[in-house]
Amino acid sequence: MLKKRIIPCLDIKDGRTVKGTHFVNLRDAGDPVELASVYSREGADELVFLDIAATEENRDTLVELVKRIAEHINIPFAVGGGINHADAVYRILQNGADKVSVNSSAVKNPDLISDIALRYGTQCCIVAIDASLADSKWVVYTHGGKTKTDKELFSWAKEVQERGAGEILFTSMDHDGTKSGFAIQALAQLNQILSIPVIASGGAGKKEHFLDVFNNGKSEAALAASIFHFGEISLKELKEFLNQNNIPIRL
């Protein structure tokens, strides 16, 4: 049985790690390289770095930061933000990242997913999907949750898989930063209709939420930010708790 993954996420703005609620009200959480080093030592399975201002500011992901991160950690990590063409992926991977994450650019140009998958392999292509529930429909948003699209979560997720994505990172905007638990029903439905792994994001607040997302949300991986950044739960205690509750996890 595949081990479940715990993935700290670091949102980067102006070179610093930040975290908000519902994608707004950002507060500083520290230096991304220092945090990455700590998480690597503490047993994170992977890390995700999202340059959250890159798309809005119409610039490439911070490649120099990617290089610094790679020099300080020895676990896989993914990088997203401002990746608009497959050539940009080459620079990111060459500087030490293992995967890339695309979101707004994939919605604008779905062929980008296929281009990345064909050139670099499906294993390094994550498509992030941010969505909010309105009138019983999960609507996809782009540009850091600022721009509403005409795409629906489940149909877009299926298209993403068909185009060659290796994983989907689904963030419920409604749950983001609330610490009230993951969007379990949506995650369970995603995992029912997809064959690629789904990384759950948005809502982690206590250890039981991770147990819920693995048992009932059927997710392969769970991502969280503030509970790790601000020391509310340690990776070690979370993994020990999951192991005690029969979740296959790397200790």
Side-chain angles (χ1 to χ4, degrees), residues 73-248:
I73 68 173
N74 59 2
I75 59 174
F77 70 97
V79 174
I83 300 171
N84 299 309
H85 48 86
D87 290 341
V89 176
Y90 179 78
R91 295 197 300 276
I92 293 168
L93 298 179
Q94 281 293 102
N95 279 278
D98 300 272
K99 305 176 184 180
V100 295
S101 173
V102 291
N103 188 338
S104 303
S105 55
V107 172
K108 182 180 179 181
N109 174 27
D111 287 340
L112 177 64
I113 303 167
S114 308
D115 291 345
I116 293 172
L118 286 170
R119 287 177 63 170
Y120 308 105
T122 59
Q123 79 286 343
C124 83
C125 183
I126 300 173
V127 174
I129 303 176
D130 302 329
S132 178
L133 186 62
D135 298 324
S136 302
K137 179 182 177 182
W138 282 94
V139 179
V140 174
Y141 283 73
T142 61
H143 297 81
K146 295 180 176 65
T147 304
K148 185 178 181 180
T149 75
D150 60 358
K151 292 190 180 296
E152 184 268 341
L153 170 63
F154 302 107
S155 59
W156 175 231
K158 285 194 284 189
E159 181 179 346
V160 161
Q161 175 176 273
E162 289 163 2
R163 287 181 176 273
E167 292 182 276
I168 285 175
L169 168 54
F170 164 56
T171 300
S172 165
M173 294 168 57
D174 305 327
H175 294 72
D176 177 70
T178 64
K179 301 180 186 176
S180 60
F182 295 93
I184 298 298
Q185 288 184 329
L187 285 161
Q189 188 171 342
L190 278 172
N191 282 296
Q192 186 175 25
I193 65 174
L194 300 173
S195 59
I196 59 175
V198 176
I199 304 169
S201 171
K206 56 185 181 179
K207 296 184 292 255
E208 288 78 9
H209 291 155
F210 290 87
L211 188 63
D212 193 22
V213 83
F214 291 135
N215 280 336
N216 300 314
K218 307 300 181 185
S219 294
E220 295 294 323
L223 177 148
S226 60
I227 60 167
F228 297 137
H229 300 339
F230 302 115
E232 296 167 31
I233 299 175
S234 75
L235 284 160
K236 185 174 185 294
E237 69 173 299
L238 174 58
K239 287 193 161 192
E240 288 175 348
F241 169 79
L242 293 172
N243 183 57
Q244 290 164 4
N245 283 275
N246 301 313
I247 300 297

Side-chain angles (χ1 to χ4, degrees), residues 12 32-33 36-37 47 49 64-74 77 79 95:
I12 311 297
V33 178
S37 299
L47 297 175
F49 297 86
E64 279 303 311
L65 178 60
V66 174
K67 187 175 181 180
R68 285 175 53 215
I69 292 164
E71 291 171 350
H72 286 82
I73 68 173
N74 59 2
F77 70 97
V79 174
N95 279 278

